[in-house]
Amino acid sequence: MGQLWHCLINGQEYGPFDAARLREIATHSKLRPTDHVRLSGAATWTVASKVKGLFPPPPAETRPLASVSRDRQWKVQLNGRTLGPYSDRQLKLFAMRGELKPHHLLQILGDPKWREARKIQGLFEAPTARSPAKAPPPQTPPVAGYKFACTACGRMLNCDAPLFGKTLPCPICKNLVTVPSLAIAASSTAATAIPLPRNPLADNEPVVIQSERTTESVAAPSNGLSIKRILGSIRLGGSASEKVDHRPSKESIEFYGASTVVDLGFGPLRAPLVYATAQRFGVTYDASLIELPLPATRSSVPPESLPYWPTYHEATPRQRGRYLDWLYGGRRDPSIELGYVFIFFYGLERRILIDGVDHAIVVDEILQLIASYTKSNSFRTYATSLLWLTVYLTADRGGLPEETVARVIQSTSRWNEDSLQYSLGYFGRLGIPLPNALAVAIASCDQRSINSVVVARHHDKFNTLFKSRLAAIHPNGFSLPAKHRERKIEYRPASGTLLAARNPPPEIASRTIPAYNPSLRHFASLATLWNECVDELKEFDRASRRDGSGAVTAEMYEALPPELRREEHPERSAWQRVIEFGLDESGWPVVKISQLSQIKNFPLRPQLTKKQCETLLATADSLKLSIEPDARLTGKNYRWDELVVVFQDDGPSHDAKALTQYRTAATLLQLSLAIAKADEVLDEGELGKIANHIERDLDLSPQLTKRLEGLKHLLVTSDKTETSVTQSIRKSLAVKERKVIGSFLVTVAASDRVICDKERKALKKAFRGLGIPADELTKLLAQHDALELATNSAPEVDEIDARQSDAPALSLERIRAIREETSRVQELLHAVLSSAEPEWDADDQPYPSDVATKLNDSKGAAVVAEVIEVDEPISAIFEASLLEQVPERYQAFFAKMATQSSWRRAELADLARANSLMLNAACEAINEWSTEAIGDWVIEEADDHILVHRHLLGLQ
């Protein structure tokens, strides 16, 4: 017996064959020069091309292009430029399109020699010679089903007579192959075609070429055959037409797709999406291939477990029966062993990587499989990788519908390097912006993004916020960088059959993908936005965990970013009732802080804490309301019984400069009011003229103008005066600058040409608060008196008539004259108020429980006074008659305070808290009383001490 040989083709061993049979296999390209062979008994393999006499040596310059390895790469020299590298297939397509000319120079990578393109056999179609001689007699066409081998991949093809001599794309490797001419075909018959061995070389099972089939489009050859004719002439794995009880053939391996009905042994099955054949192979041809001759039995006994890399060929009859039952049951049984799902999945991999068709069908099927078998991390990883690779491969064909890609993004719960690269490559190849959902995924994988439990706890809210902010920043979508590198596609198949192949699958062997690095600076803005959204949801997360009831509270609602506030505020109706109840005749809602505090369930106390004030204001903001005065601007905590104005304010927020201007205007208004109200004649019209004058000079926005109007209304109707603003001015400005403001206040008092005694007292109090020497006020008043004396000494008739006319009593011209001379008033106030934020009062203590229950009574202040004990008799300090004039709430505190002429601020603050008072408010109230009663302030601040002028009380 002669030598026996074994072959190693695509990772599978075949044989033994004798030398003649081996040469026959090589002649018909089933065995390629790059495959390996060995003699029986030998331990090492040898490259087939090294076996002498096995392959005929090709001519040096005329080796057919299609017969060489598809791994060969070419460079093209064109107009002085070197282009490439290109594969054989690409070179052939360039030649067909006319882009590559016969005179162009070509070079194989690794070979320094350049060749003219015309010398490469098979690259250009030979011209058809027109012979004047008469046509040869017609030859009898061969029988249908003539078989020949693809010169590129060696796969056996079947064709009909109309295709003889035509150049077609091979349905396996997609390389162009020329069907033998009529003369060659006539010299042979189907009977003399090389029979298929009943062994693993069945990988070259004949592929039937028919004229009625249609597959995906490829480039048309240049021989004049219509695209439709060519594309409709090939079928390998093309879906068989719908035919009940159709059974696979022994002559082919077919893929039964979405429009087929096939009998796989258990009856008709619609759209199984599997490869099947009626032929039986000696070894595994493909892990997913259903070979009908292999027995498959149904049994009530569960089959044994499948191996790590399961195949249909190597499964037991009961395992095959279990797999077919799963197919017939709809492929969604959640109790099935995952190995059966993988066998089916291997077929989908082959459909994409080898056949390169049915992308949309495969995408839809993988999406459904992921949804059904989401618990398996291994399956999800493999399925997601193939899913995104399939999506990317459609980019060159125009891509998939947006709805389908959106489903793919949504189904990808775990992103890795492969899925990110395929997804970015898809949108980069199409040149369109990324969907917002994909931008979220990229940001989530960025190492610069915060890994926070907030995202997991509030996933939907986070995604909504991120997408909303991203749309605001990138209204046309987040675009990928225009410049990028290309890299080879790297894909690790799940199928053991495809994994064992030495060469990459044909669909990705020569294709590249845009290489985007998500860690580059271009993507940093997505990570920044991610972190901002996490920070904005932290307060909502804390509020939701504090409540724990599941219902949306006011605190939770207000912690939400504006984009997420879709429902009504939980307290809207309660606030609306308070506002409607507080409307006065002028249409302004004037309400008590206690009414708003009760909505919040604040405990009863003389004064709200800073936190409670901020809570009220935050609720007002979320309801598009404003409260005036705003404790955030004044720095003064609200008192329980304090009146405020609440009004609608749905305009934009203001910057620091605008708010400083408003504080300047409010300060001027309060100072003016303190003086103008002293004569008890001021009405709202007079104050309005002052307010209008201030508004014009400070150029307030409509929103802030409305706020100033609300403050003016409150100051007039509530009989409220505010002089504590003088303290901040006193601390921040020099005496010279404070004198300018004092001059302005004298002008306001003299605006009606008369400064009465009460106005003089008010001025004296304001000057003391501003820290302006008393002689400065005396000098200004003397100037005013002298001016009025000169003006009134000899009035003219016209002037008397003018005084008796309807001219307003408030002389704005006189205010403007002084204001123009002291134009720095507003500048000074603006500098004071913009240099430092308002300092909040220290939080007051709540009322004692036995007092709080009675505080709402009209005699609440007296009740408080009754429960405060005074260690010493009042008469031992100063006259009781004088003390009785002090407001009742402050009598006990003032009685103890007056025992010393100097107090450390901290000690006096403790004394105030012991009497349920706030120090600043108590000192202000006592000074207001002393100004009226004895004409001067009895309390004065000095750095960290507070002085008590005991001599004003008749004490030593």
Side-chain angles (χ1 to χ4, degrees):
M1 177 181 284
Q3 295 176 327
L4 295 178
W5 293 83
H6 295 263
C7 306
L8 186 64
I9 302 174
N10 292 333
Q12 296 288 334
E13 182 177 348
Y14 309 115
F17 307 115
D18 58 22
R21 177 63 179 148
L22 186 68
R23 192 176 296 109
E24 181 183 13
I25 295 172
T27 301
H28 293 281
S29 300
K30 297 177 182 179
L31 178 68
R32 292 167 290 187
T34 55
D35 292 326
H36 290 70
V37 297
R38 69 175 175 85
L39 284 168
S40 292
T44 59
W45 293 90
T46 303
V47 178
S49 61
K50 293 184 179 181
V51 178
K52 187 177 295 185
L54 186 56
F55 299 98
E61 295 292 341
T62 60
R63 187 169 49 176
L65 177 68
S67 66
V68 299
S69 170
R70 284 172 289 143
D71 293 335
R72 185 168 60 175
Q73 300 288 304
W74 297 82
K75 287 187 177 180
V76 179
Q77 199 172 82
L78 181 64
N79 297 329
R81 298 173 57 196
T82 300
L83 308 177
Y86 304 110
S87 65
D88 288 353
R89 179 187 178 189
Q90 290 174 308
L91 214 60
K92 183 71 175 180
L93 292 176
F94 294 157
M96 287 191 305
R97 297 171 185 163
E99 299 170 4
L100 181 66
K101 307 296 183 183
H103 66 277
H104 288 155
L105 296 179
L106 306 178
Q107 181 191 56
I108 299 177
L109 289 185
D111 186 352
K113 185 176 181 180
W114 290 86
R115 302 170 176 82
E116 286 188 350
R118 63 167 59 91
K119 294 183 179 181
I120 307 301
Q121 183 178 355
L123 182 56
F124 298 97
E125 295 293 334
T128 303
R130 293 185 178 181
S131 174
K134 66 178 181 178
Q139 302 181 25
T140 304
V143 294
Y146 174 75
K147 301 175 182 178
F148 70 99
C150 171
T151 54
C153 66
R155 184 65 179 269
M156 295 300 295
L157 308 175
N158 285 355
C159 69
D160 295 329
L163 300 178
F164 293 142
K166 306 300 182 183
T167 300
L168 308 169
C170 173
I172 295 298
C173 63
K174 308 304 181 186
N175 285 312
L176 294 174
V177 59
T178 301
V179 179
S181 65
L182 181 63
I184 296 175
S187 65
S188 178
T189 65
T192 59
I194 300 175
L196 284 174
R198 294 317 226 192
N199 56 38
L201 287 182
D203 185 55
N204 293 296
E205 191 71 21
V207 178
V208 181
I209 300 182
Q210 298 177 346
S211 60
E212 73 274 14
R213 302 301 180 196
T214 302
T215 63
E216 295 185 358
S217 62
V218 295
S222 58
N223 59 7
L225 192 61
S226 70
I227 293 177
K228 182 176 181 181
R229 179 71 178 277
I230 295 173
L231 301 185
S233 64
I234 301 174
R235 177 172 63 81
L236 170 69
S239 299
S241 59
E242 182 163 325
K243 181 181 177 182
V244 178
D245 292 334
H246 175 78
R247 294 181 66 83
S249 168
K250 289 185 178 181
E251 302 299 323
S252 65
I253 297 174
E254 294 186 5
F255 181 83
Y256 294 90
S259 61
T260 62
V261 177
V262 63
D263 186 353
L264 297 178
F266 290 177
L269 175 61
R270 184 181 300 276
L273 304 185
V274 295
Y275 290 93
T277 181
Q279 184 177 178
R280 179 171 181 172
F281 298 100
V283 295
T284 302
Y285 168 82
D286 183 84
S288 66
L289 177 63
I290 297 176
E291 302 172 43
L292 292 188
L294 295 176
T297 60
R298 287 171 166 165
S299 172
S300 59
V301 179
E304 57 273 28
S305 297
L306 291 166
Y308 183 78
W309 265 305
T311 69
Y312 186 87
H313 179 86
E314 296 172 337
T316 66
R318 282 192 300 168
Q319 289 172 337
R320 296 189 198 105
R322 181 76 178 96
Y323 176 63
L324 292 176
D325 277 339
W326 177 73
L327 290 178
Y328 276 81
R331 307 189 295 271
R332 303 294 180 262
D333 181 4
S335 64
I336 191 74
E337 182 182 345
L338 259 296
Y340 297 103
V341 183
F342 270 105
I343 292 176
F344 176 75
F345 179 76
Y346 299 155
L348 300 181
E349 266 192 333
R350 185 176 187 86
R351 191 62 171 163
I352 295 300
L353 299 176
I354 303 299
D355 297 347
V357 294
D358 289 342
H359 295 79
I361 295 173
V362 170
V363 165
D364 183 71
E365 181 64 22
I366 295 177
L367 286 172
Q368 296 185 59
L369 289 175
I370 289 176
S372 299
Y373 303 102
T374 184
K375 293 182 179 179
S376 171
N377 292 329
S378 175
F379 177 73
R380 176 176 283 277
T381 300
Y382 279 111
T384 301
S385 183
L386 178 63
L387 182 63
W388 274 112
L389 174 62
T390 306
V391 171
Y392 171 71
L393 293 176
T394 67
D396 292 338
R397 300 175 174 89
L400 296 171
E402 291 184 12
E403 298 78 6
T404 302
V405 179
R407 290 174 58 205
V408 175
I409 295 174
Q410 185 178 9
S411 73
T412 309
S413 60
R414 296 183 181 179
W415 293 84
N416 55 28
E417 183 179 354
D418 288 341
S419 55
L420 282 176
Q421 289 295 335
Y422 295 144
S423 59
L424 291 175
Y426 174 79
F427 289 98
R429 189 68 82 210
L430 291 177
I432 58 178
L434 302 183
N436 288 342
L438 181 56
V440 174
I442 295 171
S444 69
C445 298
D446 199 312
Q447 294 299 320
R448 294 163 292 195
S449 298
I450 299 173
N451 185 13
S452 174
V453 295
V454 171
V455 180
R457 286 178 183 152
H458 313 288
H459 182 265
D460 293 341
K461 285 184 171 58
F462 179 86
N463 281 352
T464 301
L465 179 62
F466 185 97
K467 294 174 185 178
S468 176
R469 296 285 174 86
L470 183 64
I473 299 172
H474 301 282
N476 297 323
F478 185 86
S479 299
L480 294 170
K483 295 182 179 180
H484 60 269
R485 296 180 295 105
E486 294 280 333
R487 68 173 179 84
K488 288 186 177 181
I489 297 177
E490 298 177 358
Y491 177 81
R492 180 179 176 82
S495 168
T497 307
L498 298 179
L499 192 62
R502 290 183 296 112
N503 296 322
E507 275 299 297
I508 62 175
S510 60
R511 300 181 69 167
T512 61
I513 185 171
Y516 297 106
N517 185 356
S519 64
L520 293 178
R521 183 180 301 177
H522 182 81
F523 297 92
S525 61
L526 296 179
T528 300
L529 179 59
W530 174 282
N531 296 338
E532 290 174 355
C533 293
V534 169
D535 290 340
E536 289 210 31
L537 282 176
K538 283 182 178 179
E539 187 59 36
F540 172 80
D541 179 64
R542 286 190 288 267
S544 61
R545 287 187 287 118
R546 276 195 296 267
D547 178 71
S549 65
V552 178
T553 64
E555 183 184 11
M556 293 167 58
Y557 183 90
E558 292 159 18
L560 282 174
E563 296 92 333
L564 302 180
R565 296 176 182 176
R566 304 297 173 84
E567 306 295 333
E568 286 287 347
H569 192 290
E571 295 178 357
R572 174 174 290 280
S573 57
W575 278 67
Q576 193 62 37
R577 286 194 298 270
V578 171
I579 290 173
E580 292 174 357
F581 182 79
L583 283 174
D584 60 15
E585 295 179 355
S586 300
W588 285 97
V590 180
V591 302
K592 284 187 176 182
I593 285 295
S594 59
Q595 295 174 282
L596 302 179
S597 298
Q598 289 168 4
I599 298 176
K600 293 293 186 182
N601 294 319
F602 291 161
L604 211 57
R605 57 186 306 129
Q607 180 170 288
L608 302 189
T609 65
K610 176 183 176 182
K611 178 65 176 177
Q612 290 171 337
C613 293
E614 290 176 335
T615 300
L616 279 181
L617 292 166
T619 299
D621 290 342
S622 64
L623 292 171
K624 301 297 183 182
L625 299 172
S626 286
I627 298 177
E628 184 57 42
D630 190 320
R632 293 169 298 194
L633 299 178
T634 64
K636 296 182 68 63
N637 298 17
Y638 293 122
R639 297 188 303 275
W640 185 265
D641 58 351
E642 182 176 349
L643 291 173
V644 294
V645 172
V646 183
F647 55 92
Q648 195 71 33
D649 183 8
D650 55 359
S653 58
H654 293 86
D655 56 22
K657 180 180 178 181
L659 291 176
T660 300
Q661 286 179 318
Y662 173 76
R663 291 173 63 194
T664 301
T667 301
L668 284 173
L669 185 64
Q670 292 173 19
L671 288 173
S672 301
L673 178 66
I675 305 303
K677 287 182 68 174
D679 60 359
E680 301 179 355
V681 179
L682 178 68
D683 59 20
E684 192 168 356
E686 290 182 313
L687 188 58
K689 294 181 176 65
I690 297 175
N692 292 337
H693 193 74
I694 294 171
E695 292 165 11
R696 277 199 309 273
D697 287 355
L698 288 174
D699 191 23
L700 298 180
S701 68
Q703 276 181 271
L704 294 178
T705 297
K706 183 177 181 180
R707 179 180 285 276
L708 193 65
E709 287 292 324
L711 175 62
K712 179 194 69 175
H713 180 77
L714 184 66
L715 292 174
V716 172
T717 57
S718 65
D719 195 28
K720 177 180 180 180
T721 58
E722 182 62 74
T723 58
S724 61
V725 292
T726 59
Q727 297 177 11
S728 60
I729 298 173
R730 179 179 180 178
K731 294 178 181 179
S732 305
L733 297 180
V735 175
K736 181 179 178 181
E737 295 169 328
R738 282 179 265 147
K739 286 181 180 180
V740 176
I741 298 175
S743 177
F744 166 72
L745 296 178
V746 173
T747 303
V748 172
S751 59
D752 59 354
R753 297 189 178 183
V754 176
I755 301 180
C756 66
D757 291 341
K758 291 184 177 180
E759 288 175 328
R760 292 173 187 267
K761 280 187 177 182
L763 286 170
K764 185 177 180 181
K765 177 180 177 181
F767 271 59
R768 182 182 293 276
L770 290 170
I772 304 173
D775 59 348
E776 182 67 20
L777 175 60
T778 303
K779 182 173 65 175
L780 291 172
L781 292 176
Q783 291 175 357
H784 165 75
D785 293 342
L787 179 61
E788 287 300 314
L789 181 62
T791 303
N792 296 327
S793 60
E796 298 291 337
V797 174
D798 293 341
E799 184 178 354
I800 295 173
D801 293 339
R803 292 181 186 179
Q804 296 175 353
S805 66
D806 295 331
L810 188 62
S811 175
L812 292 179
E813 290 76 11
R814 297 190 65 181
I815 295 178
R816 178 172 293 279
I818 300 298
R819 288 280 307 283
E820 289 176 352
E821 294 175 4
T822 58
S823 59
R824 292 189 59 205
V825 171
Q826 291 182 359
E827 296 177 7
L828 294 175
L829 290 177
H830 187 84
V832 171
L833 297 172
S834 61
S835 61
E837 292 295 323
E839 297 181 0
W840 286 77
D841 291 331
D843 288 346
D844 199 358
Q845 297 297 317
Y847 283 116
S849 57
D850 57 337
V851 177
T853 56
K854 304 177 182 180
L855 189 60
N856 283 334
D857 185 77
S858 60
K859 297 180 180 180
V863 174
V864 175
E866 290 174 6
V867 299
I868 298 175
E869 297 182 359
V870 180
D871 296 336
E872 300 182 55
I874 294 176
S875 58
I877 304 173
F878 52 87
E879 294 183 3
S881 59
L882 187 59
L883 180 61
E884 289 174 356
Q885 299 177 27
V886 179
E888 290 179 329
R889 183 178 179 184
Y890 307 102
Q891 287 180 4
F893 167 70
F894 185 49
K896 288 198 172 186
M897 183 181 186
T899 59
Q900 296 179 202
S901 59
S902 177
W903 290 81
R904 289 178 55 195
R905 173 177 286 275
E907 293 176 345
L908 200 57
D910 290 340
L911 179 60
R913 279 194 292 271
N915 288 273
S916 300
L917 297 174
M918 187 180 69
L919 178 60
N920 289 341
C923 291
E924 180 67 25
I926 293 171
N927 274 339
E928 287 183 6
W929 161 79
S930 66
T931 301
E932 293 290 337
I934 56 180
D936 206 344
W937 284 5
V938 73
I939 302 171
E940 185 174 357
E941 295 185 29
D943 298 326
D944 60 341
H945 282 70
I946 294 180
L947 305 178
V948 181
H949 298 297
R950 289 163 50 88
H951 65 281
L952 297 177
L953 302 173
L955 301 175
Q956 298 299 322

